[in-house]
Amino acid sequence: MASCRRVAKPGSGRVTVWTAASAAAVASVAALSAVPAGAEPHDPAGHPSARSVGDRITTLYTQAERATERYNAAETRSRALRRQVDRVQDRVARGQGRVNRMRAALGALAGGQYRTGGIDPALALLLSGDPDHYLDRAATLERISNRQAAQLRVLQSAQRTLRQERAEAAAKLVRLEHSRRAVARHKRAVQRRLATARRLVNALPPGALPGRGSGTGPGTGPGFGSDELSGGLNGGPDAAPSSGWASAAFGAARAAVGQPYAWGQAGPTAFDCSGLMQWAYARAGVAIPRTSQAQAHAGQPVPLSQARPGDLVVYRSDASHVAMYAGNGQVIHAPYPGARVRYDPVGMLPISSITRV
């Protein structure tokens, strides 16, 4: 039996009855209300249509993918900063050890001078039974004093360097903490969108969700008109990869077909879109950046009509998705959560750029 509670509005004396069923209905409507313009939001019975839910799920997956690339970028920055912090802290430790040794040496030298040189030099000369020996000894003491002064200057310089490196380490630790917070923030954004998408999928009856591809047809972007797209699909020098490493990367991507999509993963058994590209090129011995935005600039731009297997095809104006050209108008990519690495048409989404590594 549904529970209920009464909520009184302040100052009105009116009481509103809320049942658990009412709350659930409101939540469902809110979750399904954001549908693209032009979609049919409800079926004849007044329920949200499978098409509108499918559009909402597609939007959530797209948003999750963009958040995933932001997460990947923040994670890459955090790892780089951690390495920098480790190097600076190592320099600080070595610098502190050097300063300690210098202090000990100067302390020993000063102690020796105090024990043997506590008398005025002129008086010591008058009282000396062997003035020539005293003058030789005095010259030696002067040289020791000069060396001590030089060591003191070196110590002071080392202390200044140590203070600078400590300040650098502190600043990098602050940046590292900000980067860690960004990683956590983007991770939460991905998880929220994917959780919402899963709830929508699970709420539909089996078979009600239309089949989802990665796109709805040939896309166009800057420099990629319909004529060029047709040229890339129907011909062009795409018979073979452009280099040995591109061939090896293409072979690795083909071997990954069938592996699951997993956000934030770069292999070897699960991938997000940019993680698959980085992993494939790593198998070829080539290091490329982690994110799709950075991968768009990882090599030489080429037109679609000249694309060859192994080239990176970057999609959307924000470069939030990336695939690998496979020849014959096809790409290999990790599409979205719940899907596996697969082949799709090169025009599945609006193309932003094509890069030859």
Side-chain angles (χ1 to χ4, degrees):
M1 181 176 180
S3 62
C4 65
R5 59 190 177 96
R6 296 176 178 269
V7 181
K9 293 185 178 180
S12 66
R14 298 175 58 189
V15 176
T16 304
V17 179
W18 288 89
T19 66
S22 300
V26 170
S28 299
V29 170
L32 297 172
S33 61
V35 296
E40 291 294 335
H42 295 86
D43 62 17
H47 301 117
S49 69
R51 177 181 173 184
S52 68
V53 175
D55 289 343
R56 175 63 173 151
I57 292 170
T58 298
T59 298
L60 286 166
Y61 279 151
T62 299
Q63 293 171 347
E65 184 169 46
R66 287 168 174 156
T68 295
E69 290 305 297
R70 290 192 290 271
Y71 166 87
N72 291 336
E75 183 72 12
T76 298
R77 285 194 298 272
S78 288
R79 285 195 294 266
L81 281 169
R82 180 72 264 176
R83 290 191 295 268
Q84 293 174 18
V85 167
D86 290 343
R87 286 195 295 268
V88 173
Q89 288 178 332
D90 183 62
R91 290 202 306 270
V92 167
R94 286 187 280 110
Q96 184 65 64
R98 183 185 178 202
V99 165
N100 292 342
R101 289 190 298 272
M102 288 179 180
R103 283 175 174 166
L106 283 168
L109 187 58
Q113 285 180 313
Y114 176 78
R115 287 190 297 271
T116 60
I119 187 171
D120 181 83
L123 180 60
L125 179 60
L126 289 173
L127 297 176
S128 174
D130 187 353
D132 291 336
H133 175 71
Y134 175 81
L135 290 173
D136 291 340
R137 182 171 175 272
T140 300
L141 288 173
E142 184 179 1
R143 287 195 297 270
I144 291 175
S145 180
N146 290 338
R147 188 181 75 177
Q148 183 180 10
Q151 288 179 338
L152 181 59
R153 288 192 294 271
V154 172
L155 173 60
Q156 290 170 336
S157 176
Q159 288 175 322
R160 285 194 298 271
T161 300
L162 184 59
R163 286 193 295 270
Q164 291 169 355
E165 289 181 341
R166 288 186 186 280
E168 181 183 356
K172 287 187 182 296
L173 283 170
V174 170
R175 291 172 58 195
L176 178 60
E177 181 58 27
H178 290 166
S179 184
R180 283 174 174 166
R181 291 178 182 177
V183 169
R185 185 172 64 253
H186 297 314
K187 181 177 181 178
R188 290 192 297 270
V190 174
Q191 291 173 330
R192 283 196 304 269
R193 285 165 173 79
L194 294 183
T196 303
R198 280 194 296 271
R199 286 196 298 270
L200 292 175
V201 170
N202 293 337
L204 289 172
L209 185 63
R212 287 188 64 249
S214 292
T216 57
T220 59
F224 296 94
S226 59
D227 292 341
E228 187 173 19
L229 183 61
S230 299
L233 291 171
N234 297 327
D238 62 0
S242 60
S243 64
W245 58 82
S247 178
F250 178 48
R254 285 189 300 179
V257 170
Q259 296 288 355
Y261 179 102
W263 73 271
Q265 297 297 307
T269 57
F271 306 88
D272 60 25
C273 67
S274 57
L276 175 62
M277 303 300 107
Q278 186 186 51
W279 176 85
Y281 267 96
R283 301 288 76 73
V286 178
I288 64 173
R290 177 63 178 91
T291 66
S292 56
Q293 290 85 359
Q295 289 173 4
H297 306 286
Q300 175 185 359
V302 295
L304 178 60
S305 60
Q306 297 179 21
R308 295 189 180 189
D311 292 347
L312 305 181
V313 183
V314 182
Y315 293 96
R316 304 191 187 105
S317 60
D318 59 357
S320 57
H321 188 73
V322 63
M324 181 178 291
Y325 191 65
N328 299 316
Q330 298 287 304
V331 293
I332 299 172
H333 69 137
Y336 51 82
R340 294 180 178 272
V341 176
R342 70 189 190 196
Y343 291 88
D344 268 318
V346 68
M348 60 184 180
L349 292 169
I351 298 173
S352 173
S353 63
I354 297 176
T355 299
R356 179 163 297 159
V357 178

